[in-house]
Amino acid sequence: MYNQMFRMREVEIRACIFDLDGVIVDTAKYHFSAWRRLANSLGFDFTEAQNETLKGVSRMKSLELILEMGGVEKSEEERIALAAKKNDWYLELINEMDESEILPGIQPFLDGLQAEGIKIGLGSASKNAPTILDKVGLTSYFETIIDGSKTTKGKPHPQVFLLGAEALGVSPENVLVFEDAPKGVEAAKAGGMFCIGIGEQEVLGKADYVMPGFDGVDTGIFEKLSTTVGTDK
Ligand code: B16
Ligand code: MG
């Protein structure tokens, strides 16, 4: 799995901050379903490929982009009502979630972090993040939860991760962020943090390292991070 060199050689990781959608759970499929329903109700279609471009993007910004895709104009007031409608449909879907939706390897990895005294935080654009963590039973792992209701600037701005690092009392250079969206990777790097991309190298090339997921990954990854004799990619 570790088929590439890390960008950095000496790393001391004291905290890990996790993105939610696409890292801990796959809620992108539920966002897609709710956005598609909204687009269809407005008379146009919305594809899975278009949905990909909205990963890590806030609710209102996503709506703006979708309306542009459909060539539809709406007033500010109408946009607020449409976003609320989409969120109601999204909540219906996430209401059915349980621990079976935690992505493979996440829980053992969180257990490993706790055992090693590494702090754990969440950094998500989603205002529904606390609800989702509760649904899947992971809330107690997180010392801080920075969600879309606590930020004023969306990814790729580093605010969400900087607030997370501050809340955990750890300097950005000692924080490792896990992200599945290119905008999230940019945010972590802009904040001066290490970043492991979850997904494909071609998409997440700006991360310090990319892996497909947490299945079979343990905290030995930190040793790997600090001992790999690598050169800059
Ligand atoms: P909500 P993340 C992001 O979560 C999603 O990737 C993005 O698709 C969504 O629009 C955004 O949260 C806002 O979500 O409507 O629930 O507030 O990947 O940053 O965990
Ligand atoms: Mg994500």
Side-chain angles (χ1 to χ4, degrees):
M1 183 180 287
Y2 307 123
N3 56 0
Q4 53 174 311
M5 298 298 188
F6 283 100
R7 241 173 233 169
M8 306 290 175
R9 225 183 278 185
E10 297 300 328
V11 188
E12 193 188 342
I13 300 302
R14 295 191 194 139
C16 286
I17 301 182
F18 293 76
D19 173 54
L20 179 65
D21 293 343
V23 171
I24 292 177
V25 287
D26 174 22
T27 38
K29 61 186 180 213
Y30 300 134
H31 281 296
F32 174 55
S33 168
W35 282 130
R36 189 167 193 212
R37 191 171 167 187
L38 189 79
N40 290 172
S41 77
L42 295 170
F44 62 93
D45 204 11
F46 174 63
T47 67
E48 213 158 346
Q50 287 172 319
N51 191 58
E52 279 297 306
T53 66
L54 302 181
K55 283 189 174 170
V57 178
S58 75
R59 193 183 309 167
M60 288 311 289
K61 183 73 191 162
S62 298
L63 175 65
E64 259 173 52
L65 294 169
I66 291 169
L67 292 177
E68 257 174 47
M69 290 169 196
V72 172
E73 282 188 25
K74 294 286 175 191
S75 68
E76 173 71 8
E77 204 180 315
E78 287 169 321
R79 287 205 300 263
I80 291 169
L82 288 171
K85 195 192 263 189
K86 179 266 174 176
N87 197 53
D88 285 347
W89 288 335
Y90 178 65
L91 284 173
E92 273 173 26
L93 297 168
I94 62 174
N95 201 33
E96 301 299 313
M97 288 179 82
D98 60 23
E99 62 279 2
S100 67
E101 298 216 32
I102 300 170
L103 289 171
I106 282 285
Q107 199 149 1
F109 190 74
L110 292 173
D111 286 331
L113 292 179
Q114 275 193 335
E116 297 206 15
I118 294 169
K119 296 184 173 202
I120 304 175
L122 191 92
S124 166
S126 175
K127 292 181 175 169
N128 296 302
T131 308
I132 296 169
L133 284 181
D134 272 350
K135 281 270 157 206
V136 301
L138 291 180
T139 307
S140 63
Y141 283 100
F142 293 86
E143 206 170 304
T144 187
I145 295 174
I146 309 294
D147 65 18
S149 66
K150 296 192 174 136
T151 55
T152 51
K153 295 171 182 131
K155 301 168 185 177
H157 193 283
Q159 188 189 42
V160 64
F161 297 128
L162 290 174
L163 287 174
E166 198 186 333
L168 294 171
V170 175
S171 302
E173 64 266 28
N174 299 118
V175 173
L176 172 56
V177 170
F178 295 98
E179 250 295 346
D180 73 312
K183 286 186 183 66
V185 171
E186 275 180 57
K189 295 311 299 169
M193 300 168 194
F194 294 100
C195 184
I196 294 190
I198 304 299
E200 291 167 13
Q201 176 68 34
E202 304 75 60
V203 182
L204 302 170
K206 288 187 181 166
D208 297 301
Y209 184 67
V210 180
M211 60 188 196
F214 286 85
D215 210 6
V217 176
D218 58 29
T219 50
I221 193 153
F222 301 121
E223 204 179 316
K224 176 99 184 154
L225 209 70
S226 58
T227 57
T228 300
V229 183
T231 52
D232 283 355
K233 277 190 287 186

